[in-house]
């Protein structure tokens, strides 16, 4: 990613969206980037479904997506449910499967993804991206 | 004492058993899960046997950590990270000894089961693989046969329970009356220990 006006290259936090469905992961990534507004957005990669296109979770797709969005500023991973959560936790426990400073972000998937991508695109660090996404839990709909 | 060959035979015996029982595991996973437990584990343990043949790790710890890593990579469902963590942590607890005693295996497997409990947040009685693994670890100090029987008993005892973890938990009362597929496959893993020694 290039800088957004300053003289020096800004290293933005990357965001990975893990869903049991490739279509859901890709659509939420598109939605989050679209709502992040004009200007450069943080790198976002979907990791949906299994490697052969089925419903489920692929550790390989998650590792590859995290590597693809890593700009050295950390990576925030959001996931939907069940095996997606367990797989990300297991990869983090491996130690060397994900870029340095990769965080499992405990947030609602769609709302958290939008908050994470908007915050990361504004140049925030990984802790700020994580807390912005987690804050989406406090937004009640009634 | 148990060497790397024993642990390779354990994984091969588990893979063979999962192959034989895949349809039954999937049938158990149909009413309360998403009907893929048998095929997911079959894919995972076949991949474990392949990678163990190819890389031929030469200590018990290395066999189990490689097997666990392979399960996390290939299964595609929740059983991948759960079984993967079980084997990987057990393997790490065994360290790099060339041979381990049954008592050391029992202790290491206890460490692995604790890691699974932490990862999935499940306790005994939640209708999960933990309900077979915890009694198995308790009986492992006695004999492999006792551990196999305890695991099988634990799996059968999940039938009247209401699921509190995983997809089955969304079904509430409707999960009652079905044996848990994860506890059932965990019993296969433990039963394969005895087979690996040729008992």
């Amino acid at each position: 990613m290039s800088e957004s006006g300053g003289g020096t290259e800004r290293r933005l936090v990357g965001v990975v969206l893990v869903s049991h469905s490739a279509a859901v992961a890709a659509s939420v990534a598109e939605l989050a980037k679209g709502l992040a507004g004009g200007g450069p957005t943080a790198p976002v990669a979907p990791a949906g479904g299994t490697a052969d296109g089925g419903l489920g979770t692929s550790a390989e797709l998650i590792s590859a997506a995290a590597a693809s969005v890593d700009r050295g500023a950390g990576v925030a991973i959001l996931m939907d449910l069940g095996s997606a959560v367990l797989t990300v936790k297991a990869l983090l426990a491996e130690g060397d499967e994900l870029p340095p400073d990769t965080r499992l972000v405990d947030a609602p998937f769609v709302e958290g993804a939008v908050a994470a991508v908007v915050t990361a695109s504004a140049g925030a660090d990984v802790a700020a991206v994580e807390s912005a996404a987690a804050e989406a839990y406090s937004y009640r709909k009634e | 004492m148990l060497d790397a060959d024993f642990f390779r035979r354990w994984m091969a015996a588990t893979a063979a058993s999962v192959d034989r029982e895949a349809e039954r595991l999937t049938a158990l996973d149909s009413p309360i899960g998403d009907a893929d437990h048998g095929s997911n584990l079959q894919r995972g343990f076949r991949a474990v046997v392949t990678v163990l043949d190819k890389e031929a790790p030469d200590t018990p710890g290395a066999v189990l950590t490689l097997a666990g890593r392979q399960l996390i990579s290939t299964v595609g469902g929740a059983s991948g990270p759960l079984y993967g963590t079980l084997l990987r942590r057990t393997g790490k607890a065994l360290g790099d000894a060339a041979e381990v005693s049954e008592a050391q295996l029992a202790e290491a497997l206890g460490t692995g089961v604790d890691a699974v409990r932490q990862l999935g947040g499940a306790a005994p009685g939640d209708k999960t693989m933990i309900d077979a693994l915890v009694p198995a670890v308790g009986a492992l100090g006695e004999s492999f046969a006792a551990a196999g029987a305890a695991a099988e008993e634990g799996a059968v005892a999940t039938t009247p329970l209401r699921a509190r973890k995983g997809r089955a938990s969304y079904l509430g009362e409707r999960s009652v009356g079905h044996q848990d597929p994860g506890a059932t496959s965990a019993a296969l893993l433990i039963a394969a220990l005895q087979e690996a020694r040729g008992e």
Side-chain angles (χ1 to χ4, degrees):
Chain A
M1 298 297 292
S2 63
E3 72 279 16
S4 64
T8 55
E9 175 96 0
R10 272 196 319 165
R11 294 192 300 178
L12 299 176
V13 171
V15 178
V16 173
L17 301 173
V18 184
S19 169
H20 277 58
S21 151
V24 169
S27 295
V28 174
E30 192 187 343
L31 172 67
K33 281 190 285 191
L35 295 182
T41 60
V44 182
T50 58
D52 58 5
L55 295 180
T57 308
S58 162
E60 254 104 51
L61 290 181
I62 295 169
S63 294
S68 79
V69 299
D70 180 27
R71 303 289 182 271
V75 174
I77 305 187
L78 286 85
M79 70 270 350
D80 55 5
L81 38 88
S83 65
V85 181
L86 295 174
T87 301
V88 172
K89 282 187 179 174
L91 286 173
L92 283 171
E94 287 272 344
D96 55 359
E97 295 289 319
L98 297 169
D101 219 359
T102 296
R103 309 276 181 99
L104 181 157
V105 175
D106 180 11
F109 192 59
V110 177
E111 294 88 336
V114 173
V117 174
V118 169
T119 310
S121 300
D125 65 15
V126 69
V129 170
E130 185 177 16
S131 71
E135 248 174 56
Y137 271 131
S138 65
Y139 171 71
R140 309 301 309 178
K141 288 164 191 168
E142 66 173 290
Chain B
M1 294 295 278
L2 309 167
D3 60 8
D5 277 342
F6 168 84
F7 285 86
R8 275 198 286 268
R9 289 198 301 276
W10 182 25
M11 292 298 103
T14 303
S17 174
V18 165
D19 269 341
R20 283 194 302 272
E21 302 283 340
E23 278 181 36
R24 178 171 160 247
L25 292 175
T26 290
L28 288 173
D29 196 33
S30 298
I32 60 171
D34 45 7
D36 60 4
H37 190 56
S39 50
N40 278 348
L41 273 193
Q42 196 173 31
R43 181 170 58 244
F45 275 100
R46 281 179 179 174
V48 164
V49 169
T50 303
V51 79
L52 290 178
D53 280 349
K54 193 173 136 223
E55 298 193 17
D58 58 1
T59 65
V63 170
L64 293 188
T65 49
L66 180 60
R69 200 170 177 284
Q70 190 72 353
L71 289 175
I72 293 170
S73 308
T74 54
V75 169
S79 52
L82 291 167
Y83 276 106
T85 295
L86 175 69
L87 296 182
R88 206 168 49 83
R89 289 297 180 88
T90 302
K92 284 196 170 166
L94 290 174
D96 53 10
E99 292 187 329
V100 300
S101 68
E102 288 182 21
Q104 285 169 318
L105 170 59
E107 196 187 331
L109 198 62
T111 308
V113 172
D114 286 345
V116 173
R117 287 178 66 164
Q118 203 182 352
L119 178 65
D126 284 348
K127 200 180 180 92
T128 71
M129 62 196 286
I130 292 299
D131 291 316
L133 292 174
V134 167
V137 167
L140 204 54
E142 200 181 316
S143 68
F144 287 168
E152 176 62 24
E153 207 176 299
V156 170
T158 61
T159 305
L161 298 176
R162 175 177 171 159
R164 285 194 288 257
K165 288 287 161 190
R167 188 192 173 286
S169 66
Y170 301 140
L171 298 177
E173 283 300 322
R174 279 175 293 146
S175 66
V176 171
H178 302 279
Q179 184 170 324
D180 182 62
T184 307
S185 57
L188 298 180
L189 175 78
I190 301 298
L193 274 172
Q194 218 181 330
E195 217 179 308
R197 202 163 53 190
E199 281 177 2

